[in-house]
Coordinates of all heavy atoms in Angstrom, one line a residue:
M618 N 21.3 9.8 -24.0 CA 20.5 8.7 -24.5 C 21.0 8.3 -25.9 O 21.1 9.3 -26.7 CB 19.1 8.9 -24.4 CG 18.2 7.7 -24.8 SD 16.4 7.9 -24.6 CE 16.2 9.3 -23.6
Q619 N 21.2 7.1 -26.2 CA 21.6 6.8 -27.6 C 20.4 6.7 -28.5 O 19.3 6.5 -28.1 CB 22.3 5.4 -27.6 CG 23.6 5.4 -26.9 CD 24.2 4.0 -26.9 OE1 23.7 3.1 -27.3 NE2 25.5 4.0 -26.4
Q620 N 20.7 7.0 -29.8 CA 19.6 6.9 -30.8 C 18.9 5.6 -30.8 O 19.5 4.5 -30.7 CB 20.2 7.2 -32.2 CG 19.1 7.4 -33.2 CD 19.7 7.7 -34.6 OE1 20.9 7.8 -34.7 NE2 18.9 7.9 -35.6
G621 N 17.6 5.6 -30.9 CA 16.9 4.3 -30.9 C 16.4 3.9 -29.5 O 15.6 2.9 -29.4
Q622 N 17.0 4.5 -28.4 CA 16.6 4.0 -27.1 C 15.4 4.9 -26.7 O 15.3 6.1 -26.9 CB 17.7 4.3 -26.1 CG 18.8 3.3 -26.2 CD 19.8 3.6 -25.1 OE1 20.1 4.7 -24.7 NE2 20.4 2.5 -24.6
Q623 N 14.5 4.3 -26.0 CA 13.3 5.0 -25.4 C 13.7 5.4 -24.0 O 14.3 4.7 -23.3 CB 12.1 4.1 -25.4 CG 11.5 3.9 -26.7 CD 10.2 3.2 -26.6 OE1 9.9 2.5 -25.6 NE2 9.3 3.3 -27.6
A624 N 13.2 6.6 -23.6 CA 13.4 7.0 -22.2 C 12.5 6.2 -21.3 O 11.3 6.0 -21.6 CB 13.1 8.5 -22.1
R625 N 13.1 5.6 -20.3 CA 12.3 4.9 -19.3 C 11.7 5.9 -18.3 O 12.3 6.9 -17.9 CB 13.1 3.9 -18.6 CG 13.5 2.7 -19.4 CD 14.1 1.6 -18.6 NE 15.4 2.0 -18.3 CZ 16.2 1.4 -17.4 NH1 15.8 0.3 -16.8 NH2 17.4 1.8 -17.2
P626 N 10.4 5.6 -17.9 CA 9.8 6.5 -16.9 C 10.6 6.5 -15.6 O 11.2 5.4 -15.2 CB 8.5 5.9 -16.6 CG 8.3 4.7 -17.5 CD 9.6 4.5 -18.2
D627 N 10.7 7.6 -14.9 CA 11.4 7.7 -13.6 C 10.4 7.6 -12.5 O 9.6 8.5 -12.3 CB 12.1 9.1 -13.6 CG 12.8 9.3 -12.3 OD1 12.7 8.5 -11.3 OD2 13.4 10.4 -12.2
P628 N 10.5 6.5 -11.7 CA 9.5 6.4 -10.6 C 9.4 7.5 -9.7 O 8.3 7.9 -9.2 CB 9.9 5.1 -9.9 CG 10.8 4.3 -10.9 CD 11.4 5.4 -11.7
C629 N 10.5 8.2 -9.3 CA 10.5 9.3 -8.4 C 9.6 10.4 -8.9 O 8.8 11.0 -8.1 CB 11.9 9.7 -8.1 SG 12.9 8.6 -7.1
R630 N 9.8 10.8 -10.1 CA 9.0 11.8 -10.7 C 7.5 11.4 -10.9 O 6.6 12.2 -10.7 CB 9.5 12.3 -12.0 CG 10.8 13.0 -11.9 CD 11.3 13.6 -13.2 NE 12.6 14.2 -13.0 CZ 13.5 14.4 -14.0 NH1 13.1 14.0 -15.2 NH2 14.6 14.9 -13.8
E631 N 7.3 10.2 -11.3 CA 6.0 9.7 -11.6 C 5.2 9.5 -10.4 O 4.0 9.7 -10.4 CB 6.1 8.4 -12.4 CG 6.6 8.5 -13.8 CD 5.8 9.3 -14.7 OE1 4.6 9.2 -14.7 OE2 6.4 10.2 -15.4
V632 N 5.8 9.1 -9.3 CA 5.0 8.9 -8.1 C 4.4 10.2 -7.6 O 3.3 10.3 -7.1 CB 6.0 8.3 -7.0 CG1 5.4 8.5 -5.5 CG2 6.2 6.8 -7.2
C633 N 5.1 11.4 -7.8 CA 4.6 12.6 -7.4 C 3.3 13.0 -8.1 O 2.5 13.7 -7.5 CB 5.6 13.7 -7.6 SG 7.1 13.6 -6.6
K634 N 3.1 12.6 -9.3 CA 1.9 12.9 -10.0 C 1.1 11.7 -10.3 O 0.1 11.8 -11.1 CB 2.3 13.6 -11.3 CG 3.2 12.9 -12.2 CD 3.6 13.8 -13.4 CE 4.6 13.0 -14.2 NZ 5.0 13.7 -15.4
A635 N 1.3 10.6 -9.7 CA 0.6 9.4 -9.9 C -0.9 9.5 -9.5 O -1.2 10.1 -8.5 CB 1.2 8.2 -9.2
Q636 N -1.7 8.8 -10.3 CA -3.1 8.7 -9.9 C -3.5 7.2 -10.2 O -4.5 6.9 -10.9 CB -4.0 9.6 -10.7 CG -3.7 11.1 -10.4 CD -4.6 12.0 -11.1 OE1 -5.5 11.7 -11.9 NE2 -4.4 13.3 -10.9
W637 N -2.7 6.3 -9.6 CA -3.0 4.9 -9.8 C -4.2 4.5 -9.0 O -4.4 4.8 -7.9 CB -1.7 4.1 -9.3 CG -0.5 4.4 -10.1 CD1 -0.4 4.5 -11.4 CD2 0.8 4.6 -9.5 NE1 0.9 4.8 -11.7 CE2 1.7 4.9 -10.6 CE3 1.3 4.6 -8.2 CZ2 3.0 5.1 -10.4 CZ3 2.6 4.8 -8.0 CH2 3.5 5.0 -9.2
R638 N -5.1 3.8 -9.7 CA -6.3 3.3 -9.1 C -6.3 1.8 -8.9 O -7.1 1.2 -8.1 CB -7.5 3.6 -9.9 CG -7.7 5.1 -10.0 CD -8.2 5.7 -8.7 NE -8.4 7.1 -8.9 CZ -8.7 7.9 -7.9 NH1 -8.9 7.4 -6.7 NH2 -8.9 9.2 -8.1
R639 N -5.4 1.1 -9.5 CA -5.3 -0.4 -9.4 C -3.8 -0.8 -9.6 O -3.0 0.0 -10.2 CB -6.1 -1.1 -10.5 CG -7.6 -0.8 -10.4 CD -8.3 -1.3 -11.7 NE -7.7 -0.6 -12.8 CZ -7.8 -1.0 -14.1 NH1 -8.4 -2.1 -14.4 NH2 -7.2 -0.3 -15.1
L640 N -3.4 -1.9 -9.1 CA -2.1 -2.4 -9.3 C -1.7 -2.5 -10.7 O -0.6 -2.2 -11.1 CB -1.9 -3.8 -8.5 CG -0.5 -4.4 -8.7 CD1 0.6 -3.5 -8.1 CD2 -0.5 -5.7 -8.0
V641 N -2.6 -2.9 -11.6 CA -2.3 -3.0 -13.0 C -1.9 -1.7 -13.6 O -1.1 -1.7 -14.6 CB -3.5 -3.7 -13.8 CG1 -3.7 -5.1 -13.3 CG2 -4.7 -2.8 -13.7
D642 N -2.3 -0.6 -13.0 CA -1.9 0.7 -13.5 C -0.4 0.9 -13.3 O 0.3 1.5 -14.2 CB -2.6 1.8 -12.8 CG -4.1 1.8 -13.1 OD1 -4.6 1.3 -14.1 OD2 -4.9 2.4 -12.2
I643 N 0.1 0.4 -12.3 CA 1.5 0.5 -12.0 C 2.3 -0.4 -12.8 O 3.3 -0.1 -13.5 CB 1.8 0.2 -10.4 CG1 1.1 1.3 -9.6 CG2 3.3 0.2 -10.2 CD1 1.2 1.0 -8.1
K644 N 1.8 -1.7 -12.8 CA 2.6 -2.7 -13.6 C 2.6 -2.5 -15.1 O 3.5 -2.9 -15.8 CB 2.0 -4.1 -13.3 CG 2.2 -4.6 -11.8 CD 3.7 -4.8 -11.5 CE 4.2 -6.1 -11.9 NZ 5.6 -6.3 -11.5
A645 N 1.6 -1.7 -15.6 CA 1.6 -1.4 -17.0 C 2.8 -0.6 -17.4 O 3.2 -0.6 -18.5 CB 0.3 -0.7 -17.4
I646 N 3.2 0.3 -16.5 CA 4.3 1.2 -16.7 C 5.7 0.6 -16.2 O 6.7 0.7 -16.8 CB 4.1 2.6 -16.1 CG1 2.8 3.2 -16.6 CG2 5.3 3.5 -16.3 CD1 2.3 4.4 -15.9
Y647 N 5.6 0.0 -15.0 CA 6.8 -0.5 -14.3 C 6.7 -2.0 -14.1 O 6.4 -2.5 -13.1 CB 6.9 0.2 -13.0 CG 7.1 1.7 -13.0 CD1 5.9 2.5 -12.8 CD2 8.2 2.3 -13.5 CE1 6.0 3.8 -12.9 CE2 8.3 3.7 -13.7 CZ 7.1 4.4 -13.4 OH 7.2 5.8 -13.5
R648 N 7.0 -2.7 -15.2 CA 6.8 -4.2 -15.1 C 7.8 -4.8 -14.1 O 7.5 -5.9 -13.5 CB 7.1 -4.8 -16.5 CG 6.0 -4.4 -17.4 CD 6.1 -5.1 -18.8 NE 5.0 -4.9 -19.7 CZ 4.9 -3.8 -20.4 NH1 5.9 -3.0 -20.5 NH2 3.8 -3.7 -21.2
S649 N 8.9 -4.2 -13.8 CA 9.8 -4.8 -12.8 C 9.5 -4.4 -11.4 O 10.2 -4.9 -10.4 CB 11.3 -4.4 -13.1 OG 11.4 -3.0 -13.0
A650 N 8.5 -3.6 -11.2 CA 8.1 -3.2 -9.8 C 7.7 -4.5 -9.0 O 7.0 -5.3 -9.5 CB 7.0 -2.2 -9.8
S651 N 8.1 -4.6 -7.8 CA 7.8 -5.7 -6.9 C 6.6 -5.3 -6.0 O 6.6 -4.3 -5.4 CB 9.0 -6.1 -6.0 OG 10.1 -6.4 -6.8
V652 N 5.7 -6.2 -6.0 CA 4.5 -6.0 -5.1 C 4.6 -6.7 -3.8 O 4.9 -7.9 -3.7 CB 3.2 -6.5 -5.9 CG1 2.0 -6.3 -5.0 CG2 3.1 -5.8 -7.2
L653 N 4.4 -6.0 -2.7 CA 4.5 -6.5 -1.4 C 3.1 -6.5 -0.7 O 2.2 -5.9 -1.3 CB 5.5 -5.7 -0.5 CG 6.9 -5.5 -1.0 CD1 7.6 -4.6 -0.1 CD2 7.6 -6.8 -1.3
K654 N 3.0 -7.0 0.5 CA 1.7 -6.9 1.1 C 1.5 -5.5 1.7 O 2.4 -4.7 1.6 CB 1.5 -7.9 2.2 CG 2.6 -7.9 3.3 CD 2.4 -9.0 4.3 CE 3.5 -9.0 5.3 NZ 3.4 -10.1 6.3
N655 N 0.4 -5.2 2.2 CA 0.0 -3.8 2.7 C 0.1 -2.7 1.6 O 0.4 -1.7 1.9 CB 1.0 -3.4 3.9 CG 0.9 -4.4 5.1 OD1 -0.2 -4.9 5.3 ND2 2.0 -4.6 5.8
R656 N -0.3 -3.1 0.4 CA -0.4 -2.2 -0.7 C 1.0 -1.5 -1.0 O 1.0 -0.4 -1.5 CB -1.5 -1.2 -0.5 CG -2.8 -1.7 -0.2 CD -3.9 -0.6 0.0 NE -3.3 0.5 0.8 CZ -3.3 0.7 2.1 NH1 -3.9 -0.3 2.9 NH2 -2.9 1.7 2.7
R657 N 2.1 -2.2 -0.7 CA 3.4 -1.6 -0.9 C 3.9 -2.1 -2.3 O 3.7 -3.2 -2.7 CB 4.3 -2.0 0.2 CG 4.0 -1.2 1.5 CD 5.0 -1.3 2.5 NE 4.6 -0.5 3.7 CZ 5.5 0.0 4.5 NH1 6.8 -0.1 4.3 NH2 5.1 0.8 5.5
V658 N 4.7 -1.2 -2.9 CA 5.3 -1.5 -4.1 C 6.8 -1.0 -4.1 O 7.1 0.1 -3.6 CB 4.6 -0.8 -5.3 CG1 5.3 -1.1 -6.6 CG2 3.1 -1.1 -5.4
V659 N 7.7 -1.8 -4.6 CA 9.1 -1.5 -4.6 C 9.6 -1.2 -6.1 O 9.3 -2.1 -6.9 CB 10.0 -2.6 -4.0 CG1 11.5 -2.2 -4.1 CG2 9.6 -3.0 -2.6
F660 N 10.2 -0.1 -6.3 CA 10.7 0.3 -7.6 C 12.2 0.3 -7.6 O 12.8 0.7 -6.6 CB 10.2 1.7 -8.0 CG 8.8 1.9 -8.1 CD1 8.0 2.4 -7.0 CD2 8.1 1.6 -9.2 CE1 6.7 2.6 -7.1 CE2 6.7 1.8 -9.4 CZ 6.0 2.3 -8.3
N661 N 12.7 -0.3 -8.6 CA 14.2 -0.2 -8.9 C 14.5 1.1 -9.7 O 13.9 1.3 -10.7 CB 14.7 -1.4 -9.7 CG 14.4 -2.7 -9.0 OD1 14.5 -2.8 -7.7 ND2 13.9 -3.7 -9.7
I662 N 15.5 1.8 -9.2 CA 15.8 3.1 -9.9 C 17.2 3.1 -10.3 O 18.2 2.6 -9.5 CB 15.5 4.3 -8.9 CG1 14.1 4.3 -8.5 CG2 15.9 5.6 -9.5 CD1 13.8 5.2 -7.3
K663 N 17.5 3.7 -11.4 CA 18.9 3.8 -12.0 C 19.6 2.5 -12.0 O 20.6 2.2 -11.4 CB 19.6 4.8 -11.2 CG 20.9 5.3 -11.9 CD 21.6 6.3 -11.1 CE 22.9 6.7 -11.8 NZ 23.8 7.4 -11.0
G664 N 19.0 1.5 -12.7 CA 19.6 0.2 -12.9 C 19.7 -0.6 -11.6 O 20.7 -1.3 -11.4
N665 N 18.8 -0.4 -10.7 CA 18.7 -1.2 -9.5 C 19.7 -0.6 -8.5 O 20.0 -1.2 -7.5 CB 18.9 -2.7 -9.7 CG 18.2 -3.5 -8.6 OD1 17.4 -3.0 -7.9 ND2 18.6 -4.7 -8.5
E666 N 20.3 0.6 -8.7 CA 21.2 1.2 -7.8 C 20.5 1.8 -6.6 O 21.0 1.8 -5.5 CB 22.0 2.3 -8.5 CG 23.2 2.8 -7.7 CD 24.0 3.8 -8.5 OE1 24.1 3.6 -9.8 OE2 24.5 4.7 -7.9
Y667 N 19.2 2.2 -6.8 CA 18.5 2.8 -5.7 C 17.1 2.0 -5.6 O 16.7 1.4 -6.6 CB 18.2 4.2 -5.9 CG 19.4 5.0 -5.9 CD1 20.1 5.3 -7.1 CD2 20.0 5.5 -4.7 CE1 21.3 6.1 -7.1 CE2 21.1 6.3 -4.7 CZ 21.8 6.5 -5.9 OH 23.0 7.2 -5.9
R668 N 16.5 2.1 -4.5 CA 15.1 1.5 -4.3 C 14.2 2.5 -3.7 O 14.5 3.3 -2.9 CB 15.2 0.3 -3.3 CG 16.0 -0.9 -3.9 CD 15.2 -1.6 -5.0 NE 16.0 -2.8 -5.4 CZ 15.8 -4.0 -5.1 NH1 14.9 -4.3 -4.1 NH2 16.4 -5.0 -5.6
L669 N 13.0 2.5 -4.2 CA 11.9 3.3 -3.7 C 10.8 2.5 -3.3 O 10.3 1.6 -4.1 CB 11.4 4.3 -4.9 CG 10.1 5.1 -4.6 CD1 10.3 6.1 -3.5 CD2 9.7 5.8 -5.9
I670 N 10.3 2.6 -2.0 CA 9.2 1.8 -1.5 C 8.0 2.8 -1.3 O 8.2 3.8 -0.6 CB 9.5 1.1 -0.2 CG1 10.7 0.2 -0.4 CG2 8.3 0.3 0.3 CD1 11.2 -0.4 1.0
V671 N 6.9 2.5 -1.8 CA 5.7 3.3 -1.6 C 4.5 2.4 -1.1 O 4.5 1.2 -1.3 CB 5.3 4.1 -2.9 CG1 6.4 5.0 -3.3 CG2 4.8 3.1 -3.9
A672 N 3.6 3.1 -0.5 CA 2.3 2.4 -0.1 C 1.3 3.2 -0.9 O 1.3 4.5 -1.0 CB 2.1 2.5 1.4
V673 N 0.4 2.5 -1.5 CA -0.6 3.1 -2.4 C -2.0 2.9 -1.8 O -2.4 1.8 -1.5 CB -0.5 2.5 -3.8 CG1 -1.5 3.2 -4.8 CG2 0.8 2.5 -4.4
A674 N -2.7 4.1 -1.6 CA -4.1 4.0 -1.2 C -4.9 4.2 -2.6 O -5.2 5.3 -3.0 CB -4.4 5.2 -0.3
Y675 N -5.1 3.0 -3.2 CA -5.7 3.0 -4.5 C -7.1 3.7 -4.5 O -7.4 4.5 -5.5 CB -5.9 1.6 -5.0 CG -4.5 0.9 -5.2 CD1 -4.1 0.0 -4.4 CD2 -3.8 1.2 -6.4 CE1 -2.9 -0.7 -4.6 CE2 -2.6 0.5 -6.6 CZ -2.2 -0.4 -5.6 OH -1.0 -1.0 -5.8
R676 N -7.9 3.5 -3.5 CA -9.3 4.1 -3.5 C -9.3 5.6 -3.6 O -10.1 6.1 -4.3 CB -10.0 3.6 -2.2 CG -11.5 3.5 -2.4 CD -12.2 2.9 -1.3 NE -11.6 1.6 -0.9 CZ -11.6 1.2 0.4 NH1 -12.1 1.9 1.4 NH2 -11.1 0.0 0.7
V677 N -8.4 6.3 -3.0 CA -8.3 7.7 -3.0 C -7.2 8.2 -3.9 O -7.1 9.5 -4.0 CB -8.2 8.3 -1.5 CG1 -9.4 8.0 -0.8 CG2 -6.9 7.7 -0.9
G678 N -6.4 7.4 -4.5 CA -5.3 7.8 -5.4 C -4.2 8.5 -4.8 O -3.6 9.4 -5.4
V679 N -3.8 8.1 -3.6 CA -2.7 8.7 -2.9 C -1.5 7.7 -2.8 O -1.7 6.5 -2.5 CB -3.1 9.2 -1.5 CG1 -1.9 9.8 -0.7 CG2 -4.3 10.2 -1.6
V680 N -0.3 8.2 -2.9 CA 0.9 7.4 -2.8 C 1.7 8.0 -1.7 O 2.0 9.2 -1.6 CB 1.7 7.5 -4.1 CG1 3.0 6.6 -4.0 CG2 0.9 6.9 -5.3
Y681 N 2.1 7.1 -0.7 CA 3.0 7.5 0.4 C 4.3 6.9 0.2 O 4.5 5.7 0.1 CB 2.3 6.9 1.7 CG 0.9 7.4 2.0 CD1 -0.2 6.6 1.6 CD2 0.7 8.5 2.6 CE1 -1.4 7.0 1.8 CE2 -0.6 9.0 2.9 CZ -1.7 8.2 2.4 OH -3.0 8.6 2.7
V682 N 5.3 7.7 0.2 CA 6.7 7.3 0.1 C 7.1 6.8 1.5 O 7.0 7.5 2.5 CB 7.7 8.4 -0.3 CG1 9.1 8.0 -0.2 CG2 7.3 8.9 -1.7
K683 N 7.6 5.5 1.5 CA 7.9 4.9 2.8 C 9.5 4.8 2.9 O 10.0 4.8 4.0 CB 7.3 3.5 2.9 CG 5.9 3.4 2.9 CD 5.3 4.1 4.1 CE 3.8 4.1 4.2 NZ 3.3 4.6 5.4
F684 N 10.2 4.7 1.8 CA 11.6 4.6 1.8 C 12.2 4.9 0.5 O 11.6 4.6 -0.5 CB 12.0 3.1 2.2 CG 13.5 2.9 2.0 CD1 14.4 3.1 3.1 CD2 14.0 2.3 0.9 CE1 15.7 2.8 3.0 CE2 15.4 2.1 0.7 CZ 16.2 2.3 1.8
I685 N 13.3 5.6 0.5 CA 14.1 5.8 -0.7 C 15.6 5.8 -0.3 O 16.0 6.4 0.7 CB 13.8 7.1 -1.5 CG1 14.5 7.1 -2.9 CG2 14.0 8.3 -0.7 CD1 13.9 8.1 -3.8
G686 N 16.4 5.0 -0.9 CA 17.8 4.8 -0.6 C 18.5 3.9 -1.6 O 18.0 3.4 -2.5
T687 N 19.8 3.7 -1.2 CA 20.6 2.8 -2.1 C 20.1 1.4 -1.9 O 19.4 1.0 -1.0 CB 22.1 2.9 -1.7 OG1 22.2 2.4 -0.4 CG2 22.6 4.3 -1.8
H688 N 20.6 0.5 -2.8 CA 20.3 -0.9 -2.7 C 20.8 -1.4 -1.4 O 20.2 -2.3 -0.8 CB 20.9 -1.6 -3.9 CG 20.3 -3.0 -4.1 ND1 19.7 -3.5 -5.2 CD2 20.2 -4.1 -3.2 CE1 19.3 -4.7 -5.1 NE2 19.6 -5.1 -3.9
A689 N 22.0 -1.0 -1.0 CA 22.5 -1.5 0.2 C 21.7 -1.1 1.5 O 21.5 -1.9 2.4 CB 24.0 -1.0 0.4
Q690 N 21.2 0.1 1.4 CA 20.3 0.6 2.5 C 19.0 -0.2 2.5 O 18.5 -0.5 3.6 CB 20.1 2.1 2.4 CG 21.3 3.0 2.6 CD 21.0 4.4 2.2 OE1 20.4 4.7 1.2 NE2 21.6 5.3 3.0
Y691 N 18.5 -0.4 1.3 CA 17.3 -1.2 1.2 C 17.5 -2.6 1.8 O 16.6 -3.1 2.5 CB 16.9 -1.3 -0.3 CG 15.8 -2.3 -0.6 CD1 14.4 -1.9 -0.4 CD2 16.1 -3.6 -1.0 CE1 13.4 -2.9 -0.7 CE2 15.0 -4.5 -1.2 CZ 13.7 -4.1 -1.1 OH 12.7 -5.0 -1.3
D692 N 18.6 -3.2 1.6 CA 18.8 -4.6 2.1 C 18.8 -4.6 3.6 O 18.6 -5.6 4.3 CB 20.2 -5.1 1.6 CG 20.2 -5.5 0.2 OD1 19.0 -5.7 -0.4 OD2 21.2 -5.6 -0.4
A693 N 19.0 -3.4 4.3 CA 19.1 -3.4 5.7 C 17.7 -3.0 6.4 O 17.6 -3.0 7.6 CB 20.1 -2.3 6.2
V694 N 16.7 -2.8 5.6 CA 15.4 -2.5 6.2 C 14.4 -3.6 5.8 O 14.6 -4.5 5.0 CB 14.8 -1.2 5.6 CG1 15.8 0.0 6.0 CG2 14.5 -1.2 4.2
D695 N 13.3 -3.7 6.5 CA 12.2 -4.5 6.2 C 11.2 -3.8 5.4 O 10.5 -2.8 5.8 CB 11.4 -5.0 7.5 CG 10.3 -5.9 7.3 OD1 9.8 -6.1 6.1 OD2 9.8 -6.5 8.3
A696 N 11.2 -4.1 4.1 CA 10.4 -3.4 3.1 C 8.9 -3.4 3.4 O 8.2 -2.5 3.0 CB 10.6 -4.0 1.7
E697 N 8.4 -4.3 4.1 CA 7.0 -4.4 4.5 C 6.6 -3.5 5.6 O 5.4 -3.3 5.9 CB 6.6 -5.9 4.7 CG 6.7 -6.6 3.4 CD 6.3 -8.1 3.5 OE1 6.2 -8.6 4.7 OE2 6.2 -8.8 2.5
T698 N 7.6 -3.0 6.4 CA 7.2 -2.2 7.6 C 7.9 -0.9 7.7 O 7.6 -0.1 8.5 CB 7.5 -3.0 8.9 OG1 8.9 -3.3 9.0 CG2 6.7 -4.3 9.0
V699 N 9.0 -0.7 6.9 CA 9.8 0.6 7.0 C 8.9 1.8 6.8 O 7.9 1.8 6.0 CB 10.9 0.5 6.0 CG1 10.4 0.7 4.5 CG2 11.9 1.7 6.3
E700 N 9.2 2.9 7.5 CA 8.5 4.1 7.4 C 9.6 5.3 7.3 O 10.7 5.1 7.8 CB 7.7 4.4 8.7 CG 6.6 3.4 9.0 CD 5.4 3.6 8.1 OE1 5.2 4.7 7.5 OE2 4.7 2.7 7.9
M701 N 9.2 6.3 6.6 CA 10.1 7.4 6.5 C 10.3 8.1 7.8 O 9.4 8.1 8.6 CB 9.5 8.5 5.5 CG 9.5 8.1 4.1 SD 11.1 8.1 3.4 CE 11.6 9.7 3.3
E702 N 11.5 8.5 8.1 CA 11.8 9.2 9.4 C 11.8 10.7 9.2 O 12.0 11.2 8.2 CB 13.1 8.7 9.9 CG 13.1 7.3 10.2 CD 14.4 6.8 10.8 OE1 15.3 7.6 11.0 OE2 14.6 5.6 11.0

């Protein structure tokens, strides 16, 4: 990292310890995260090279990983219905 640059949070690491209770909790840290229906959120990782899709159960503070893959793989799935295999 160059001097003067701030480290950006890594969604993969943060999701593991997340305790998000509201969508604004996510957007406060990840402004570029895309919000989908069914409580799903899409994160861009490593300059949009990878995508992470999660479903968030805000009431109980649980995050379910639905998909993680390259941008090309993401383009081949339906982000609103994809499930981990």
